[in-house]
Every structure is written in C-alpha cells, then in structure tokens.
Amino acid sequence: MPDQTTTLTVPLFPLPNVVFFPKTFLPLHIFEPRYRAMVRDASQHDQLIGMVLLKEGWEREYEGAPAVHAVGCAGKIIALDLLPDGRSNIILYGLSRFTIESETTTKSYREAQVKRDTGERWRRLSKARKQDLLDTVQRIAERQPLPQELSALMQIAGDPEVLVNLLCSELPLTVVEKQFLLESSTLDQRARRLVELVELQSV
C-alpha cells in the first residue's frame, strides 16, 4: 500500500496520562456525561474515537477545551459494556496516527477534522533497526524483569508495526516521551527514537 492520508471527522477524547498507538489495545472506563454521549454517538456511527494527549496546564481549562497535542491516534470500539448507571467500559483498537486540522464544538464533546496517516512507511522496519530494538529490550530485561504480558506478546509480534508500537506503549516511558514517539514520521524513525530513549535511561 503506498503512503496515503484520509481526512475524516472524529470525536476527540483528550486525556492527560494516555498516549495511544496503532495496533495496540486500550481499555477505558467512561463516566463523564460528555464522554458518555461521545461513546453513545460513536457506537451508533463508525465506532471511531480519536485519542489525544492534553498539553501541560490542562487543569485550568479541563471543563472546556484545553490545548491538546496535534498528533493523536484513531481507535475503533471493539468492545462496549454499558453499565446500569450510564457509565461504560470500552476497549479501543488503534487504527492509525492522525493530525488534527481543525476542531468543532457543536456537541458536548470535542470533534475534529483529522488527517489519518497510513501506508508503507508504517510497515517497513530495516533488519538492522529491528535487531537494535530487540538488543535494547534484552538489555532492559537483564536489568529488570519485563512485564509478563509484554514478554508473551513480543514472542508473537511478527508484524514490525505491532512490535514497535507495543514496546512504545508498554515500556516505562513518560507520556511526553511516548508523544514524541507517536509523532515520528515513519516506523523506522519511531524505532530509532525508542532505542535512543531507552539508552538514555541507562546512562
């Protein structure tokens, strides 16, 4: 598949402590009224929700529309458990990175026109880069045990995109570092940045 972009409108779910990556899973508990409405609308439409990271200082404007990072990840609702009191538990599956082009506020929650980013540059990972990544993870494992779930998933992550994004999501990095990884322009760049960040931790 050649590199391509698709423009569409998605509801935005901004959080201060979550960076979502394509081809990973994200469980969420939905309790605020505006996000209950968001999930209800999304589940009746195309199941899509755009996850974005709130910028520093979001606390002052949380009830409104605090600033968010322009690059996020579109996820599809693959499981929805509606609770009797109106709350819900959902699981999102990451589809692709996107960049916000504009926002609208006609509903109780935020919506944005976004440009989704797909294509070969998110599937290609050089052999040398993959080996660097695996060597780095091995060095981490020698210093501290990896989460059992991560170790198990790595054994079956034959897809380079799954491998890189899984590590970006699960390794102990700050949300700022994870946002930096999400904003990479290619999968190979994301893997290189991840190796560099992990190496800095060991200095």
Side-chain angles (χ1 to χ4, degrees):
M1 178 192 297
D3 292 339
Q4 60 185 34
T5 58
T6 305
T7 300
L8 72 162
T9 299
V10 296
L12 291 183
F13 193 3
L15 289 174
N17 55 359
V18 173
V19 177
F20 189 33
F21 288 88
K23 296 196 175 182
T24 66
F25 297 89
L26 179 63
L28 293 166
H29 178 64
I30 309 299
F31 58 91
E32 287 189 45
R34 55 180 165 174
Y35 298 128
R36 294 184 193 184
M38 176 192 70
V39 168
R40 181 184 64 245
D41 292 349
S43 65
Q44 294 173 356
H45 182 42
D46 55 12
Q47 316 292 322
L48 296 182
I49 291 175
M51 299 300 302
V52 288
L53 180 68
L54 287 163
K55 288 188 174 181
E56 187 176 354
W58 58 270
E59 298 91 342
R60 295 188 297 272
E61 301 179 66
Y62 182 70
E63 298 302 325
V68 297
H69 290 269
V71 176
C73 179
K76 183 173 184 178
I77 300 173
I78 60 168
L80 170 60
D81 179 22
L82 293 173
L83 304 176
D85 61 1
R87 294 176 297 123
S88 63
N89 294 311
I90 66 173
I91 297 176
L92 293 181
Y93 175 68
L95 297 179
S96 61
R97 190 188 84 150
F98 65 71
T99 302
I100 295 174
E101 295 194 313
S102 61
E103 278 196 47
T104 59
T105 55
T106 58
K107 299 179 180 178
S108 60
Y109 53 87
R110 298 162 72 173
E111 290 183 296
Q113 185 175 54
V114 303
K115 185 176 289 185
R116 281 180 58 189
D117 215 352
T118 59
E120 280 300 317
R121 62 196 171 107
W122 299 113
R123 292 166 176 78
R124 292 193 300 263
L125 188 65
S126 68
K127 290 183 179 179
R129 188 74 68 206
K130 183 176 181 180
Q131 192 58 53
D132 283 346
L133 194 60
L134 294 175
D135 290 346
T136 299
V137 173
Q138 180 60 38
R139 288 194 289 273
I140 295 173
E142 290 170 358
R143 297 197 304 267
Q144 60 188 50
L146 292 175
Q148 186 174 1
E149 180 179 329
L150 176 58
S151 298
L153 288 172
M154 282 186 62
Q155 300 302 316
I156 60 174
D159 182 336
E161 189 179 8
V162 173
L163 175 63
V164 173
N165 290 338
L166 177 66
L167 290 169
C168 288
S169 179
E170 297 298 327
L171 287 177
L173 301 166
T174 68
V175 289
V176 172
E177 291 169 331
K178 290 185 178 185
Q179 182 67 28
F180 175 65
L181 294 171
L182 182 65
E183 292 177 4
S184 304
S185 58
T186 67
L187 185 65
D188 207 72
Q189 184 186 66
R190 185 172 293 161
R192 175 177 59 79
R193 287 179 171 184
L194 178 58
V195 169
E196 291 171 352
L197 285 172
V198 173
E199 291 301 319
L200 281 174
Q201 290 183 342
S202 63
V203 173

